[in-house]
Amino acid sequence: MKVFTNQEMKNYSNMRVGGRAKKLIILETKEEIVDVYNDRENTNIFILGNGTNVLFTDDYMDRTFVCTKKLNKIEDLGNNLVKVETGANLKELTDFMRSRNYSGIESLFGIPGSIGGLVYMNGGAFGTEIFDKIVSVEVFDENHQIREVKKENLKVAYRKTEIQDKNWLILSATFKFDNGFDESRVKEIKELRESKHPLDKPSLGSTFKNPKGDFAARLISECGLKGTIIGNAQIAEKHPNFVLNLGGATFKDITDILKLVKKSVFEKFRIKLEEEIIIVK
């Protein structure tokens, strides 16, 4: 493992915002996580993947961040089973599926998060969720044990898993894919994302979860908030559930926008929006 102290964290978040942290540990093997938790100097531990949905405060963070992005092995187990380490990303997995002619989660193409992050929150898009093809998850549990948990023994819901409640660390997920990679679906999703999502500025993707039976983007748009700027942060015109860093945005700029959105949507629709992003203070 690699250990850094007083580390600037803004480069570990897609939003490019963040202050300094007490410690950053970059894992190089999954077994190192046991040593991290056995070291009493490592306090207030936060597990960090690719930082695609994490917003850091600008203030000093008295935390030990543990980064898993180097745990990115993808292994074909045979019989359409594929084991994917937590730090691999969807592009890498999609390329692997294409090379093996596997199918099942093409609709998720383009989501920038790590596999671990997507599994943690049961990420999804365009009618597909990451757990649709998962058969088991390898976790580091509350007893500091590495173990395999079958999907049927996990509680999984929309953007929610039991893994969150128990604060387990995901080390890998095993998928059972179908045959016949759908190249046309990947192309369709790529074009959809490019047409609907603002990809030219730093952001954390979808900021708020969709409330049941509705879309956060529609509610934000109906409140007339498209394009709203606070400081150097902006509610995207192209997709109002994205908050953009226009350059030099602060943590306060972004959280002020979040407060404005939640207040406006509640006052107009009596709906309480819940953040999909993770805010670290």
Side-chain angles (χ1 to χ4, degrees):
M1 70 180 77
K2 293 181 179 176
V3 181
F4 304 91
T5 56
N6 197 31
Q7 181 73 16
E8 189 174 56
M9 294 301 294
K10 69 180 181 181
N11 291 328
Y12 292 87
S13 165
N14 269 24
M15 189 59 93
R16 299 294 180 257
V17 171
R20 292 189 176 271
K22 179 180 71 174
K23 187 184 287 188
L24 170 69
I25 297 172
I26 299 177
L27 298 180
E28 294 177 300
T29 69
K30 68 182 181 184
E31 289 79 15
E32 289 173 344
I33 191 64
V34 178
D35 297 329
V36 169
Y37 275 83
N38 284 340
D39 186 342
R40 292 185 179 179
E41 288 188 6
N42 295 329
T43 57
N44 209 3
I45 293 172
F46 183 91
I47 304 300
L48 179 65
N50 294 347
T52 52
N53 71 331
V54 179
L55 175 65
F56 298 124
T57 178
D58 291 324
D59 300 330
Y60 177 79
M61 291 170 280
D62 186 23
R63 288 179 176 267
T64 298
F65 288 92
V66 180
C67 181
T68 61
K69 67 180 181 179
K70 287 198 172 182
L71 306 181
N72 57 6
K73 184 180 177 184
I74 302 175
E75 183 182 5
D76 195 328
L77 304 178
N79 196 30
N80 291 54
L81 292 169
V82 176
K83 187 171 186 176
V84 186
E85 284 192 328
T86 185
N89 62 45
L90 263 178
K91 184 184 184 306
E92 292 165 340
L93 180 54
T94 302
D95 289 345
F96 186 91
M97 291 169 62
R98 181 186 287 111
S99 72
R100 299 298 201 280
N101 197 32
Y102 289 153
S103 178
I105 56 171
E106 287 91 338
S107 292
L108 303 186
F109 178 80
I111 297 178
S114 66
I115 295 301
L118 288 165
V119 172
Y120 182 78
M121 64 176 291
N122 189 25
F126 302 109
T128 298
E129 293 179 334
I130 193 78
F131 262 93
D132 289 350
K133 292 298 174 184
I134 285 176
V135 294
S136 65
V137 180
E138 184 181 27
V139 301
F140 178 71
D141 68 17
E142 69 273 26
N143 298 315
H144 297 177
Q145 300 292 317
I146 295 175
R147 63 189 178 93
E148 195 91 9
V149 184
K150 292 184 183 299
K151 176 183 173 179
E152 56 263 32
N153 295 327
L154 278 172
K155 294 175 184 173
V156 178
Y158 172 73
R159 303 297 178 267
K160 181 76 175 172
T161 67
E162 183 181 358
I163 295 164
Q164 294 171 343
D165 297 330
K166 294 188 173 175
N167 205 25
W168 292 342
L169 166 60
I170 295 155
L171 296 174
S172 70
T174 299
F175 295 80
K176 173 80 171 179
F177 290 123
D178 304 318
N179 291 315
F181 184 77
D182 191 346
E183 191 70 65
S184 63
R185 181 61 173 164
V186 171
K187 184 174 182 291
E188 178 188 1
I189 295 299
K190 184 175 185 290
E191 290 171 354
L192 270 171
R193 286 190 176 279
E194 289 174 350
S195 68
K196 291 185 175 182
H197 294 174
L199 304 175
D200 59 332
K201 298 272 192 314
S203 81
L204 297 175
S206 292
T207 306
F208 295 98
K209 297 178 184 178
N210 289 326
K212 190 173 182 179
D214 213 329
F215 296 95
R218 185 193 77 81
L219 299 171
I220 297 166
S221 182
E222 288 290 322
C223 288
L225 294 175
K226 268 188 179 183
T228 298
I229 295 174
I230 295 179
N232 287 309
Q234 181 183 35
I235 298 171
E237 291 269 9
K238 202 171 188 179
H239 193 308
N241 199 18
F242 279 56
V243 177
L244 309 179
N245 182 349
L246 300 179
T250 65
F251 178 77
K252 187 177 185 301
D253 293 341
I254 296 159
T255 53
D256 281 352
I257 278 188
L258 303 186
K259 289 173 189 173
L260 173 65
V261 168
K262 289 198 285 189
K263 181 175 181 287
S264 301
V265 168
F266 184 74
E267 287 178 352
K268 188 174 180 66
F269 297 103
R270 284 296 183 261
I271 292 174
K272 290 184 179 180
L273 287 183
E274 182 183 349
E275 285 94 347
E276 188 167 312
I277 64 172
I278 298 167
I279 300 172
V280 180
K281 298 179 183 179

